[in-house]
Amino acid sequence: GPLSERRLMDVRLGELPAWLATCDFSPRGLLGGVQKAWNSYYDKYINVKRGGPAGISMLLAGYCLLSYGWNYQHISK
């Protein structure tokens, strides 16, 4: 398909600058990208028929690591 409709993982390294030039970096475009990523994560890990706590625990572990990274200087003193 056209370069602008491909996902990031389907773009070859040589096509990356052209693919980035077709991306929408406006606030509405960035918000749409975040929403698309969240929907994809939700459908893959949380909204499954036989799912366990893996999706939510991955989200919680990511939050813990992120908050630890933000507060590292306060914790290390």
Side-chain angles (χ1 to χ4, degrees), residues 10-25:
D10 297 333
V11 176
R12 295 185 179 178
L13 191 57
E15 299 171 334
L16 189 60
W19 181 79
L20 283 172
T22 63
C23 292
D24 183 14
F25 289 110

Side-chain angles (χ1 to χ4, degrees), residues 4-72:
S4 63
E5 294 179 6
R6 291 189 202 167
R7 296 181 333 179
L8 176 60
M9 297 304 292
D10 297 333
V11 176
R12 295 185 179 178
L13 191 57
E15 299 171 334
L16 189 60
W19 181 79
L20 283 172
T22 63
C23 292
D24 183 14
F25 289 110
S26 68
R28 180 175 288 185
L30 292 175
L31 184 62
V34 168
Q35 185 177 20
K36 187 176 178 182
W38 170 254
N39 287 338
S40 142
Y41 173 82
Y42 184 82
D43 288 339
K44 187 172 183 179
Y45 294 109
I46 297 175
N47 191 20
V48 292
K49 290 183 182 176
R50 284 188 43 205
I56 294 173
S57 58
M58 277 182 19
L59 193 64
L60 183 61
Y63 173 73
C64 290
L65 288 173
L66 188 64
S67 63
Y68 177 78
W70 283 335
N71 295 316
Y72 178 75

